Amino acid sequence: VRVCRELQHQATVVRGGVMLAHALRESFEEIYQLAYRLTLREEDRAALLREAVVIALEQLPALQASGGNGSPGPEDARGLLLRGVAEAVQSRQRQRPQLTFDDLDAQIRNDPTNPDALRGIGDAEREQLLWDLKEGCLTAAVTCLPPGERVAFALLDVLGCDPEATAAALGIRTSALRVRASRARNKIVDYLSPRCGHVNARNPCQCPSRLGVAFEHGFVGPVAGRRALLRDFPAFGEQGPTHEPLSVYRRLPSPKPPAELLEELLALI
């Protein structure tokens, strides 16, 4: 009897691992986009996703036990991964100080322009740096939010996920998710509306004029040797001001998830 129970347990573990691996393959683009909008650097988002997968694995036995048949469904497994990302954001927040909106202003807005910092940089590299600055600044604004609001904003307002399904995946009430997203939305709008040139062409913060300062402070860096050219970008000046702060996020190019990162995460399972 003991041997049979052990074999049944092992079979349950294997089924759960297979289901989680399948969910990771199917939802990797979504999970990676979420991590991309919550972190500033490739190494940080890779670390966030590794931690999220470990958390999902730790929570898998409880999900299997509550399922009755010993095997979660695909949406349950996807929910574990989304919840893993949310909990990993919380965990990493406790390990490092949170960026504030004042910190962000100090890095790229308070100093005078510095075009000399960009000497020797060609047009193609400057174009990529402008996109890095736009994406980096918008993402940095999100990282200034508390972890719960940050995840809610990225899922609902940036990625456009369904609130009911997302709340169920995260294991919280839909009303709680909406409140978090609303608070985040108000803070982002209050911050960007009077500053960002992508919202209003008359606003003081314009990426081309701030690029030298951002480069000097290390907020953006040389493209050579970095995994920056993941996607096909439109010309930087092609998108005009939106007059609506949230639509600036929705118009950002979607990232292309690195295949080797998926293989690394699957290996953890």
Side-chain angles (χ1 to χ4, degrees):
V1 173
R2 188 173 59 223
V3 172
C4 288
R5 287 177 177 172
E6 179 62 28
L7 290 174
Q8 288 175 346
H9 173 71
Q10 291 178 5
T12 299
V13 171
V14 169
R15 285 197 301 270
V18 169
M19 182 66 73
L20 190 61
H22 177 73
L24 179 58
R25 289 191 183 93
E26 291 296 310
S27 60
F28 181 57
E29 184 171 347
E30 175 190 24
I31 299 295
Y32 182 79
Q33 285 195 47
L34 175 59
Y36 194 93
R37 299 305 175 201
L38 295 172
T39 55
L40 287 168
R41 296 175 178 82
E42 183 66 25
E43 57 268 25
D44 290 335
R45 64 187 62 109
L48 177 69
L49 290 177
R50 284 193 293 268
E51 187 172 345
V53 169
V54 170
I55 291 172
L57 282 169
E58 291 172 348
Q59 296 180 353
L60 184 57
L63 177 63
Q64 290 177 300
S66 66
N69 62 0
S71 180
E75 280 303 306
D76 295 321
R78 171 183 170 273
L80 273 185
L81 293 168
L82 286 179
R83 204 174 311 158
V85 172
E87 293 189 17
V89 170
Q90 291 272 7
S91 173
R92 293 171 68 81
Q93 184 66 57
R94 292 191 291 267
Q95 300 168 16
R96 61 180 67 179
Q98 179 174 323
L99 184 72
T100 68
F101 289 119
D102 288 339
D103 295 333
L104 182 54
D105 279 342
Q107 285 191 47
I108 59 176
R109 292 190 176 92
N110 288 351
D111 289 348
T113 58
N114 184 11
D116 291 340
L118 300 172
R119 291 193 181 196
I121 292 180
D123 291 342
E125 188 169 352
R126 185 177 183 276
E127 179 88 356
Q128 179 63 54
L129 288 172
L130 284 169
W131 272 110
D132 283 355
L133 177 56
K134 179 179 180 179
E135 285 200 309
C137 183
L138 291 172
T139 302
V142 175
T143 66
C144 294
L145 300 169
E149 295 177 12
R150 194 183 314 170
V151 173
F153 178 78
L155 284 169
L156 299 193
D157 290 289
V158 181
L159 301 185
C161 296
D162 176 72
E164 283 78 16
T166 301
L170 295 175
I172 62 176
R173 294 179 182 273
T174 303
S175 58
L177 181 65
R178 290 185 187 276
V179 167
R180 294 177 188 179
S182 177
R183 289 173 178 168
R185 199 177 301 124
N186 290 337
K187 293 173 184 177
I188 291 293
V189 169
D190 287 347
Y191 182 73
L192 293 181
S193 293
R195 291 175 173 83
C196 181
H198 298 291
V199 175
N200 188 326
R202 296 183 178 181
N203 278 342
C205 190
Q206 305 285 335
C207 285
S209 64
R210 306 315 300 168
L211 184 59
V213 173
F215 187 87
E216 184 181 26
H217 288 184
F219 191 80
V220 296
V223 173
R226 298 193 313 144
R227 191 193 302 282
L229 300 174
L230 285 174
R231 296 150 296 164
D232 294 326
F233 292 89
F236 183 76
E238 196 172 284
Q239 295 180 340
T242 65
H243 301 283
E244 212 294 298
L246 300 182
S247 65
V248 177
Y249 285 92
R250 301 187 191 109
R251 299 197 325 180
L252 290 172
S254 297
K256 177 183 176 183
E260 60 270 26
L261 177 57
L262 173 59
E263 295 306 315
E264 180 185 346
L265 297 176
L266 289 171
L268 292 176
I269 300 175

